[in-house]
Structures are given as structure tokens and as C-alpha cells.
Amino acid sequence: MNRRSLFLSLVSLAAMALPTQAATMRSYPDALSKAGHKPIVLFCYGANYDEVSKKAYEEFVKQHKLQSVLQKCIFVEVPIYQLPDERQKREMEKVIGKAGLPGGIFSYPSLAVVDDGGNLRGIVQKADEIQDVEAAKAALAKLLEAYDQQESLITKAEKAGGTVKAKLLMQAAEVRGVNLPPDAGEGGKRNKGMKDNVGLGARQSFDPITVMEKTFTMDSNAEVETYIRGLLNKPGYSLAQRQEMLAALAGHLRRNNGSVDKIRSLYTEMRELDPDSMYGAYAQGALDMWVDKKPIAATAPSEINRTNNAIISDSDGPSVVINDNSADDTDDTPVINDGHTAMGTRAGAGSTPKKDEPQVDSMEDE
């Protein structure tokens, strides 16, 4: 073998040993147009003010430490400037596009997984994950695995029809850690020919605030309980949605002199549906603070929020700030506050921002 052949062979072997590089796009709109079925990973970071973002950028981008989990993805760096000058505004608009980022990105830095329809399918933004590169890598790998599993089920559903299609889409909706895209639900372009007898449409169109508001129009506690139990008996709703229904009922009873034993049983039922979820933690905190009247400092749940401070506000008393993982006391994270439930308010914090709403940076000045 001559030297040239030997050199080419060594280069080929080296290339085979390297992990496949993620496709990096300069802008979010470009990524959307070229993604196909590949997940898009948006690295959103505070570009000119946030020390956590600065460290993440160094490790995620400059040192390529996320590369092993980005092999089948499209990667986009999304700088977010605080008080941007004109040049920085132009840069952000060029990267983000006029349509804006998907709703649900509550803090920076974060790793948002989006599909080619611009749907946020999942996000890594918890403080204990995003501030450590190995934790971020593990969380992103888990999210991308769930994305692949869900996409596989959706693809199978596209080729099926009738009840089989509905069952496959429901299985896709049940994949934990990832959101089913709207176009796979009721009226979506990916479910033509579906016969929905599994409750997928109800799951996709569920609005907890509408449920809560409907209870305000009812004349008695018994009527409210009958309404909520009717919803709970229907198929399709997720565990989180069922917990929100129970929160609405418990909150109504608290506002309207319901029995303490009944309220305790509702929060217990809510907790036991999914003890490890945000609403499971909320239910335990509600039992401690509002039913059993335990000291707040000793019993406040510690897993309610994503990154920073969360507030449970009781309209009969002061708000309680819990789980502060930040370096300062800025309260700018989602708020759990409708007076008595874990569902937020229609116009207030705690709701998912729309594309044209400003995103929240919960790690500012760390």
C-alpha cells in the first residue's frame, strides 16, 4: 500500500470513529424549513448579561459537550440580549424570525426541542439540569428519546385508520416527558380518517381555566362535584389534567364552606394520581398548609416550579414563595395562583406565553 492509500485509509477510519455532527442552522426559520422529521434543538441563552448562560455557551457550543446527543438533530443558537441595541435587535430578529419562538420557554439558558411545525415538544430548563453539562446532556438525551418514541407512534398512526389510528395517537400522547403536537390531535392534518372513541379530542382541547370558570356559574357544591366527576369518568384525559380537575373541585369547596374531610380526600386523590408530578407536590403542600395547617416553612412542597421561585397564593392569606434556587430574590417564574387551585389564571403568570409574548429569564444576574 502506498503512502497516499494509507493516508486515505487512516482518514476514513478516523471519520468512522467520529460521532455524526449535528446540523447547525443560523436561524430558527431555516431550521423549520429543513427539519423534516428531525427534532430542532434551540439553545436559548442570555447573550450579554447572564453568567449561567455564559458558562453553558462555553460548554454546549464552544467545547461541543452536547454533541453526542445532538447527532440526529438540527441545532440553533438563539442569543437573547438584555436591553439590546439596534445591532443586537437585528441579530435576534434574524435568528428568531418575525414569528417568534414557541410559547413555553420560561427561562434562559434552556434547550428547547421543537418540531418542523414550530411546536414545542419538550424543554430542558430546570436549574439543576441546565447548570451542569452532564445533567443537561442526560435530560436532553431522555427528551430526544421520548420524542423519537412519540414520532414513531404518530407515523404508524398516519398509516392506520379508524379506531386503530386513535389508539396509536393516544399512545403517542401518553409518552411521558414530551408534548403531542396539535396537528396530531383533533382536526389535525396527521389524523385523517381517525375514529376517536378513546377521548383524544377531549384531551387535546382540555382547558383547565374553562373548567374552573364553569364551576363559578353553578348553584351548589353538589352540582360542581357532579360536573367534575363526570369529566373524570370520561376516557382520554392525562393524569395532569385529572389533577387539575380535582384542584378545581377542591378549590371550589374551600371557597364555599365544603367539608374539610371532603377537601382532604380530594387533595389526597389528586396527590396519589401522580405523586412525583408538579401537581402531586402541590396537592401535598395543600394538605399540609390548608387542611392540616402545618407550619409552612417545614412543609412547603419543593418540586413545584421549573427553575426559580414558585408561588402558591391562597386568597384567604398571604402568598407563599417556595423552592428558591436562584442567586437573587427576583420572582419571575410561572405562578400557581387562582386563589385555591394549581391552575393559574387566564391572563396572569402561570399561563403559557404565546409566540408574540416576551419570554421570561429566571436566571438574570446570577
Side-chain angles (χ1 to χ4, degrees), residues 6-266:
L6 177 60
F7 174 76
L8 291 174
S9 297
L10 291 173
V11 169
S12 298
L13 287 171
M16 291 172 62
L18 290 172
T20 304
Q21 296 292 304
T24 300
M25 298 285 179
R26 287 182 173 272
S27 78
Y28 178 45
D30 284 347
L32 290 173
S33 67
K34 298 175 183 178
H37 288 295
K38 288 184 177 181
I40 301 166
V41 177
L42 304 176
F43 171 48
C44 305
Y45 63 99
N48 64 338
Y49 62 95
D50 179 24
E51 289 300 317
V52 178
S53 287
K54 182 178 179 181
K55 178 176 180 290
Y57 187 88
E58 178 68 28
E59 295 181 328
F60 295 175
V61 177
K62 288 188 175 180
Q63 298 177 22
H64 307 289
K65 290 188 177 181
L66 291 182
Q67 190 60 53
S68 61
V69 296
L70 293 173
Q71 295 173 25
K72 298 179 182 179
C73 303
I74 291 178
F75 186 68
V76 183
E77 300 168 29
V78 183
I80 307 295
Y81 293 98
Q82 186 178 54
L83 302 176
D85 58 28
E86 290 304 314
R87 181 191 63 79
Q88 292 166 342
K89 287 179 182 177
R90 288 194 298 271
E91 181 183 353
M92 283 197 294
E93 183 174 336
K94 186 176 180 180
V95 173
I96 296 172
K98 292 183 179 180
L101 297 176
I105 302 174
F106 291 124
S107 66
Y108 311 125
S110 60
L111 294 161
V113 176
V114 181
D115 62 23
D116 65 340
N119 303 301
L120 181 68
R121 304 288 286 275
I123 189 165
V124 177
Q125 62 183 0
K126 294 180 181 178
D128 59 348
E129 294 173 339
I130 204 68
Q131 295 188 41
D132 177 80
V133 67
E134 292 303 320
K137 188 189 299 184
L140 182 58
K142 184 177 180 180
L143 173 53
L144 291 170
E145 182 181 356
Y147 178 98
D148 287 344
Q149 182 183 351
Q150 188 178 72
E151 276 295 305
S152 176
L153 288 165
I154 294 172
T155 300
K156 288 180 181 178
E158 288 177 332
K159 299 174 183 178
T163 300
V164 174
K165 180 185 286 286
K167 287 181 177 179
L168 285 167
L169 286 172
M170 182 59 79
Q171 288 179 36
E174 293 286 355
V175 176
R176 300 202 67 166
V178 65
N179 305 317
L180 187 71
D183 62 3
E186 187 173 21
K189 63 183 180 181
R190 304 181 76 173
N191 71 345
K192 293 179 180 178
M194 183 181 76
K195 184 178 180 181
D196 185 6
N197 60 351
V198 294
L200 180 65
R203 181 192 185 109
Q204 289 292 88
S205 62
F206 177 75
D207 178 10
I209 305 302
T210 298
V211 170
M212 183 182 68
E213 289 175 344
K214 188 168 181 177
T215 66
F216 296 159
T217 68
M218 296 180 178
D219 296 329
S220 67
N221 290 348
E223 184 180 2
V224 173
E225 183 166 8
T226 299
Y227 165 61
I228 296 294
R229 286 297 172 190
L231 291 176
L232 288 166
N233 288 335
K234 294 179 180 178
Y237 294 114
S238 68
L239 291 177
Q241 289 170 342
R242 294 177 185 281
Q243 287 175 312
E244 288 173 321
M245 294 172 194
L246 289 167
L249 177 54
H252 180 88
L253 293 182
R254 292 190 67 245
R255 288 188 295 272
N256 293 277
N257 301 314
S259 122
V260 173
D261 288 340
K262 171 72 74 173
I263 294 168
R264 178 182 285 108
S265 70
L266 289 169

Side-chain angles (χ1 to χ4, degrees), residues 350-363:
S351 59
T352 300
K354 298 176 182 177
K355 285 188 176 183
D356 57 352
E357 290 179 342
Q359 306 298 307
V360 175
D361 173 18
S362 65
M363 295 182 178

